[in-house]
Amino acid sequence: MQRVALAIHHSEVILEEGFLYSDEVIEVLKPISTKFALFCDTHVAELIGSKWCIYLNEKELDVSLFTFPPGEHEKNRERKASLEDQLLSQGFGREVCIVALGGGVTTDLIGFLAATFCRGVPLVHIPTTLLGMVDAAIGGKTGVNTPFGKNLIGAFYSAQNIFIDPTVLSTLPTQEWINGMAEVIKYGLIRSQPLFASLKTDRNFYKSVISECISIKGEVVEADFNESTGLRRILNFGHTIGHALEHVENYTLSHGEAVAMGMLVESYLSHHMGLLSSQEFEEIQQIIRSFPFQLTLSSRVTIEKVGSAILLDKKGSGQFVLLEKIGSCHPFEGKYTTQVSPMLLQNALQWMIEEFGVIE
Ligand SMILES: NC(=O)c1ccc[n+]([C@@H]2O[C@H](COP(=O)([O-])OP(=O)(O)OC[C@H]3O[C@@H](n4cnc5c(N)ncnc54)[C@H](O)[C@@H]3O)[C@@H](O)[C@H]2O)c1
């Protein structure tokens, strides 16, 4: 596979199979610092991190490995403070380059650590999940969760380098593929009809699909880095309903499946608002249903509960991103979101419950 190099808002992205064990990786890292702190969860350390750290040391880079337990619950202020204290107690200071190797939990948590450690030190992201490669590691959002909600404390802080080596995906469990797939489909729907069309036949996420998704996220982020103009909201397509379903299902539904269902419901809304043609709505359903998503809801899901959860969602606040066609969102005068009538929302949720069955 050819190397793909992209520049996205102060980040140099290199996408290449085998890049982690190439001579070039050393050439890129060496000028950044003389001291590196490599962070990953213990699961990723076992699969990739420990071996890669030895490789880097053998190539005469001064790299120390720091690990923490895997899981979303680790993305919190306490874990960040404990890792910071480890760095400080071992004498690391302003000169350190922080390397975050892992999924979105790692790049969010460690990215935030890099943003505040000694008031900000160089950061390299190496995403190892499909979701991390196409979404979480791109775009400079870092942060942690609090008891009051997800991602409420954080910073916009760009990694100066992002290395994407798709060979690491060979060990990714199915459920993690599914979480990434939903985001890949989303990029096609919001920004690229050809990408969406290619998903009918090309499910080889090792190749062009990953770079196409990164380009789309990069283009959107470049235009609206701090979420000030509105365009960045289109990345939330499918997530207003998706987050509400995750909440009502008590997080037993995977994020990817919730977003897949969210995209179907928000496509229904787009169609019934007179924006998306019935033919395209049909096509979206066909493609999403052809992926291995478990599109089933439990009896916990009622119109009332989903409706209330939509209003609780801090990101969506009851607003929806709607498609005007496959590959394009309606701009709504630059806001890129709109409210829908309570009656239409009710009909859409009724349709969802009828379609995706209620299982006990
Ligand atoms: N900053 C952003 O713009 C942004 C965007 C989307 C999502 N996110 C965040 O990303 C997080 C979710 O990311 P995620 O789904 O990558 O979760 P994650 O980081 O928890 O990774 C999921 C699991 O996969 C394992 N894993 C990672 N790489 C692996 C590999 N190559 N092989 C086998 N197992 C591997 C991890 O150890 C973990 O158990 C959420 O916290 C979400 O808020 C951030």
Side-chain angles (χ1 to χ4, degrees), residues 265 268-269 343-353:
V265 177
Y268 177 105
L269 293 172
M343 181 56 82
L344 176 57
L345 182 57
Q346 190 168 334
N347 290 345
L349 296 177
Q350 183 63 43
W351 172 79
M352 174 188 79
I353 288 169

Side-chain angles (χ1 to χ4, degrees), residues 41 43-44 47-48 70 72 75 103-106 108 128-129 131-132 135-136 138 141 150-151 168 171-173 176 179 217:
D41 70 35
H43 186 209
V44 171
L47 293 168
I48 311 161
E72 182 70 35
K75 203 178 98 174
V105 165
T106 302
D108 276 11
T128 61
T129 59
L131 180 100
D135 193 0
I138 314 290
K141 275 193 187 179
K150 262 182 71 102
N151 302 324
V168 301
T171 51
L172 201 66
E176 303 305 334
N179 289 336
K217 179 141 188 198

Side-chain angles (χ1 to χ4, degrees), residues 313-327:
D313 181 28
K314 290 182 186 68
K315 245 183 175 177
S317 318
Q319 300 274 324
F320 292 92
V321 174
L322 298 180
L323 301 176
E324 54 185 11
K325 58 183 182 184
I326 292 174

Side-chain angles (χ1 to χ4, degrees), residues 7-290:
I8 298 173
H9 200 89
H10 310 305
S11 299
E12 296 291 329
V13 184
I14 293 177
L15 165 59
E16 188 179 6
E17 279 179 17
F19 186 72
L20 288 186
Y21 287 97
S22 66
D23 289 340
E24 287 92 333
V25 80
I26 309 297
E27 279 166 32
V28 178
L29 288 174
K30 242 181 192 157
I32 301 176
S33 176
T34 50
K35 250 183 147 176
F36 295 84
L38 170 63
F39 289 87
C40 53
D41 70 35
T42 48
H43 186 209
V44 171
E46 219 171 273
L47 293 168
I48 311 161
S50 303
K51 190 170 150 227
W52 192 55
C53 187
I54 293 170
Y55 171 79
L56 296 176
N57 285 327
E58 281 171 1
K59 295 281 178 181
E60 292 172 0
L61 283 189
D62 181 354
V63 184
S64 307
L65 180 65
F66 296 83
T67 63
F68 52 94
E72 182 70 35
H73 48 276
E74 290 296 325
K75 203 178 98 174
N76 59 43
R77 284 174 282 191
E78 293 73 24
R79 177 58 62 195
K80 176 173 176 275
S82 126
L83 293 170
E84 286 160 350
D85 289 350
Q86 286 183 47
L87 279 176
L88 293 168
S89 67
Q90 292 183 32
F92 286 90
R94 273 215 62 74
E95 77 295 341
V96 70
C97 169
I98 303 282
V99 182
L101 172 78
V105 165
T106 302
T107 49
D108 276 11
L109 170 72
I110 303 305
F112 185 33
L113 183 156
T116 58
F117 190 74
C118 297
R119 299 197 178 87
V121 291
L123 170 66
V124 174
H125 273 336
I126 308 179
T128 61
T129 59
L130 179 61
L131 180 100
M133 291 178 183
V134 299
D135 193 0
I138 314 290
K141 275 193 187 179
T142 70
V144 292
N145 303 328
T146 76
F148 299 93
K150 262 182 71 102
N151 302 324
L152 292 182
I153 305 288
F156 287 102
Y157 194 71
S158 294
Q160 73 176 66
N161 296 89
I162 302 171
F163 302 153
I164 299 182
D165 181 347
T167 52
V168 301
L169 294 176
S170 61
T171 51
L172 201 66
T174 311
Q175 203 52 55
E176 303 305 334
W177 274 104
I178 281 174
N179 289 336
M181 274 179 208
E183 300 299 333
V184 170
I185 296 170
K186 179 194 77 180
Y187 287 121
L189 287 175
I190 61 172
R191 214 66 178 163
S192 170
Q193 191 277 335
L195 170 63
F196 187 73
S198 76
L199 296 178
K200 285 180 202 161
T201 49
D202 178 10
R203 303 216 166 163
N204 186 351
F205 291 120
Y206 287 78
K207 291 193 180 147
S208 55
V209 167
I210 294 176
S211 80
E212 175 74 10
C213 293
I214 295 170
S215 304
I216 294 171
K217 179 141 188 198
E219 175 226 336
V220 171
V221 163
E222 201 73 63
D224 185 16
F225 186 70
N226 296 311
E227 295 187 319
S228 47
T229 70
L231 185 67
R232 203 162 171 159
R233 292 192 188 126
I234 69 172
L235 299 171
N236 215 25
F237 177 69
H239 287 63
T240 304
I241 295 287
H243 286 154
L245 290 174
E246 280 183 291
H247 179 80
V248 174
E249 289 282 34
N250 218 359
Y251 295 89
T252 54
L253 195 64
S254 80
H255 181 66
E257 278 150 357
V259 170
M261 225 172 306
M263 291 191 288
L264 288 170
V265 177
E266 295 180 22
S267 298
Y268 177 105
L269 293 172
S270 306
H271 173 51
H272 286 83
M273 286 279 283
L275 301 171
L276 186 71
S277 72
S278 55
Q279 193 192 343
E280 290 201 307
F281 179 41
E282 276 302 317
E283 193 181 336
I284 292 170
Q285 290 185 66
Q286 259 176 30
I287 294 200
I288 293 184
R289 287 173 199 262
S290 72

